Amino acid sequence: MIQISENNIAERFMRYVQIDTQSDPQSETYPTTEKQKNLSQILLSELQHLGIQSDLDAHGYVYATLPSNSDKKNIPVICFCSHVDTAPDCSGTHVKPILHKNYSGDDITLPDDTSQVLKLSDAPYLKNHIGSDIITASGNTLLGADDKSGVAAIMEAATFFINNPDVKHGNIKILFTPDEEVGKGTAKIDMKKLNAKFGYTMDGGEAGSLEDETFSADGATIIINGVIAHPGYAKGKLVNAIKIAGEILDALPKNEWAPEVTNKKEGFVHPVRVEGIAERATIEFIVRDFDNEKLAQHGERLRQLALKTVKKYPGVTMEFSIKEQYRNMKGVLDNHPKVVAYAAAAIKRTGLKVKTESIRGGTDGSRLSYMGLPCPNIFTGMQGIHSKLEWIGVKDMAKSAETIVHLCMIWEEKS
Ligand SMILES: [Zn+2]
């Protein structure tokens, strides 16, 4: 029986969330904000204090290695990964975590902004935590459970292994990344240095959830070249590219094929940016589906739809391009069924029910999976992320750390 102290992980988590680590989508530097290193530095010194070999590189990545204590030589190297940054959508400055002991089920009014009320009716998952401890922010900021709960779970599991040397495991790698929230979390990972065979991101929601499937994602760009003439003498000549862009957008279906009217396994096409002058206009889209073949069909359908509009105007031309963004991790994970199966077994050993889920989005794990590190995503308990009403149940976080321990033990046992 593996037991992770709820008090310890709560204390650890509350210490980490008070450090402002917001990333910046506008920044061109790596990491996008220097302040993320303030937490990375603390993690580095805590790891070193535990006697775990670790380092922090110039881009803000922390790499650590917990060496094998098993006689078996064939255990694959497993990596656990979390991101230190918090989302730019909501302030992360002066986060004041509040521990609500023995949550009663009543509304929780956050003290620094009393318009922020956490209610069971809005967040039904709170029901699972009545009688347990939960943590919220104080009203002016997000909490940062995304993903400091993952960081705390990994650190707590590492501490467990140091304190329990008789629990057998193979080589374990720990990786803390910056800039996940701005889509650059994997940009500067040194895969050679990491040198792991399989990975797990600790960056998921409800207790027991195991995400092994993400969207496949493309970006599509349509450039419309209009026909330009002096507006005073344009009769019969000028064709305005901006107006054609508007016409293409208007031709998009309204009851299907859009994020606002799809869910579950349905894909979509979604315009995210328009830019132009009368002569030349550009529309950028994101294209999403779980199935790569369907993803390609969405792209082709979009091209045909735009072409049909453009063809009505002689002299107008269109440039259409598709750029791959990321791919469904399932495509990789299906080739390594043990990775997900062992994670499910580890979750079960903690006494939780496994909920296998698909993410209507991407994770660092989708990119890592295609960078050679098959990498599903495991729960930490985070809820209401990227908002002032973000919260987390302490027992979920402890179970997340417990899952990590069991997972390492299972890889050792089965090798
Ligand atoms: Zn996250």
Side-chain angles (χ1 to χ4, degrees), residues 73-143:
K73 296 287 169 241
N74 60 336
I75 312 166
V77 181
I78 303 301
C79 172
F80 293 92
C81 171
S82 288
H83 61 94
V84 298
D85 65 316
T86 61
D89 330 13
C90 185
S91 169
T93 307
H94 300 308
V95 173
K96 289 192 264 169
I98 303 173
L99 176 68
H100 306 265
K101 282 255 172 209
N102 197 6
Y103 166 63
S104 67
D106 294 340
D107 292 358
I108 295 176
T109 303
L110 300 182
D112 292 342
D113 176 355
T114 52
S115 73
Q116 299 293 331
V117 183
L118 184 62
K119 294 182 183 144
L120 213 136
S121 51
D122 301 332
Y125 184 61
L126 275 168
K127 215 171 162 187
N128 298 36
H129 292 272
I130 294 175
S132 311
D133 300 349
I134 68 166
I135 299 170
T136 66
S138 64
N140 292 332
T141 65
L142 47 64
L143 174 62

Side-chain angles (χ1 to χ4, degrees), residues 83 85 146-147 180-181 203 382 385-386:
H83 61 94
D85 65 316
D146 180 7
D147 184 22
E180 190 268 356
E181 298 290 0
D203 194 12
M382 62 176 81
I385 58 171
H386 302 194

Side-chain angles (χ1 to χ4, degrees), residues 227-230 233-239 314:
V227 182
I228 206 64
H230 185 292
Y233 307 93
K235 189 170 180 186
K237 291 182 212 145
L238 184 140
V239 190

